[in-house]
Amino acid sequence: MPDVTSLGTALARARSWVRAHPLASDGVLAAAVLACMVLGSFADKHAGPGGPTFGTRTPDALNVLFMVLGAAALVFRRRAPMPVLLCTGGLTLLDLFTGHPPAPVVFSAVIALYTVGAHTDRPTTWRVGLATMAVLTAVAMLLSPDPWYAQQNLSIFAWTGMASAAGDAVRSRRGFIDAIRERAERAERTREEEARRRVAEERLRIARDLHDVVAHHIALVNVQAGVASHIMDKRPDQAKEALAHVREASRSALNELRATVGLLRQSGDPAAPTEPAPGLAHIDGLLDTFRNAGLPVEFAANGTGGPESGLPAAVDLAAYRIIQEALTNVRKHAGQAAKAEVSVVRVGATIEITVLDDGKGTGEPADGGGHGLIGMRERVTALGGTLTAGPRYGGGFRTQAILPVMNRTGENA
């Protein structure tokens, strides 16, 4: 096993070296081809009955020059495949015209033709391959002293044809592997992008929940603390009541924050939150917190809310959070004498949540850093609904959200 591992490591290193030094590797190949051509030029297939023999034939100086030039051209075969093929093919034709008996310069043309097939497209490979095979074979058959069907003539036909086919096969395999690698990389990128998108959506949802919880309860705590501080000396009983509301609001804020932050726990962490998500079934408790803070709130509904209403959980939670944020904005910006009206009406396949107030404003400039309306709009848009918010004619503010309850197939969304 260690020997096999060592051999695989050596092959991998050799492959990496070849890719990093293409000119040097082609030089080594050219030297090997030249050695084969020179060795083949000393063989004579007619010398003995047992097959080719060596030493009875010697190439002349012109044949050696053709072989050296053909091998030298192969050094640049990957940089310029077509010019190298033209050079080696021309040298082969010159050898066929002048060499008797011919030297095996055609080996260099075979290597060049394989390179063309491996580095160009299929139509070019077959056009150039057929042209090279036809020209070299025809010239060899016409100029050969042997019959046209002699082995050396047919070998030119076979070797050039196999070179074209082998080059095309290598190019196709390389393209297939590249396509598989590209699809794998694209799939990996898609998985990563999908994971990032889901993380961003979850982060945005948790941020909205945290904003709704913190903005609502901290606003109530701020109001009640201000009231307690104002009446502490003159009416201590009412101040104690206000501080009790502060304590209740802070406890509620801590509980909701604990439930929201619990969503970030790992699946194996202990003490996972088990409280149900708030919805319209808990609207009375929400409204009471605002009434206790000094904001008169009137509520009207046509039977929506709660498990019996059939509202999807996402719509139920969104309706609750929209009312919570809208009333928080009323308490913060509408003024001390403001009154609010909340209505939840189911109309066909939608539910309409409307929050009105008649406040004149606190007279203080807005800080511009809030995200309440942005969070409400994101909640509504995520469910496929619409949100409108703006000043009312004659004073006050109006917030209305229309949420779809049914999907296109008529089932609960």
Side-chain angles (χ1 to χ4, degrees), residues 5-28:
T5 304
S6 302
L7 179 60
T9 303
L11 290 176
R13 290 178 179 176
R15 193 179 297 111
S16 301
W17 185 87
V18 168
R19 292 196 188 99
H21 306 84
L23 197 63
S25 61
D26 288 339
V28 174

Side-chain angles (χ1 to χ4, degrees), residues 79-376:
R79 291 190 175 186
M82 292 300 295
V84 169
L85 177 61
L86 292 175
C87 178
T88 55
L91 291 173
T92 301
L93 291 177
L94 290 176
D95 182 65
L96 291 174
F97 277 108
T98 60
H100 184 73
V105 186
V106 69
F107 289 167
S108 62
V110 169
I111 300 298
L113 186 57
Y114 162 82
T115 305
V116 170
H119 293 83
T120 60
D121 55 275
R122 176 165 293 174
T124 301
T125 298
W126 288 110
R127 284 197 299 267
V128 174
L130 288 174
T132 303
M133 182 173 56
V135 171
L136 295 183
T137 303
V139 172
M141 289 179 176
L142 291 175
L143 299 181
S144 176
D146 299 324
W148 66 269
Y149 52 84
Q151 180 180 357
Q152 61 183 7
N153 299 331
L154 296 180
S155 64
I156 295 177
F157 178 83
W159 279 107
T160 52
M162 287 189 295
S164 299
D168 181 71
V170 169
R171 179 193 53 78
S172 299
R173 182 179 180 275
R174 187 183 298 125
F176 178 72
I177 294 175
D178 291 341
I180 292 178
R181 185 181 296 110
E182 181 182 359
R183 284 197 297 269
E185 293 175 354
R186 190 186 306 117
E188 184 65 23
R189 288 195 301 269
T190 302
R191 285 194 295 270
E192 292 177 356
E193 292 172 358
E194 179 66 15
R196 286 194 297 267
R197 184 186 66 81
R198 290 181 179 274
V199 169
E201 290 179 353
E202 185 66 14
R203 185 185 298 115
L204 181 60
R205 186 185 67 80
I206 294 174
R208 286 199 300 262
D209 285 342
L210 287 174
H211 173 271
D212 293 342
V213 171
V214 172
H216 165 61
H217 291 289
I218 296 303
L220 295 182
V221 168
N222 182 53
V223 171
Q224 294 292 347
V227 172
S229 176
H230 181 69
I231 65 176
M232 178 66 71
D233 296 331
K234 297 180 180 180
R235 287 174 287 179
D237 293 339
Q238 294 184 8
K240 290 181 180 180
E241 184 179 353
L243 291 176
H245 291 315
V246 169
R247 181 180 181 183
E248 182 181 352
S250 61
R251 183 187 299 112
S252 179
L254 288 175
N255 290 336
E256 293 199 34
L257 282 174
R258 187 179 299 111
T260 303
V261 175
L263 297 175
L264 301 177
R265 293 178 179 269
Q266 300 295 328
S267 59
D269 290 347
T274 58
E275 298 85 353
L280 293 178
H282 306 88
I283 195 67
D284 292 335
L286 175 66
L287 299 181
D288 287 340
T289 60
F290 286 99
R291 291 169 181 146
N292 294 332
L295 176 64
V297 181
E298 295 182 4
F299 178 70
N302 66 346
T304 57
E308 69 279 359
S309 66
L311 288 179
V315 175
D316 197 23
L317 174 61
Y320 180 91
R321 292 302 190 194
I322 289 169
I323 295 173
Q324 183 184 51
E325 180 59 32
L327 290 177
T328 301
N329 290 339
V330 173
R331 193 68 189 88
K332 291 168 60 177
H333 305 298
Q336 293 294 330
K339 298 179 181 180
E341 298 178 5
V342 179
S343 65
V344 180
V345 180
R346 184 161 180 171
V347 180
T350 62
I351 182 173
E352 297 182 2
I353 302 100
T354 306
V355 180
L356 307 175
D357 71 81
D358 58 358
K360 305 301 182 183
T362 60
E364 299 178 358
D367 57 10
H371 300 278
L373 287 177
I374 296 176
M376 283 194 290

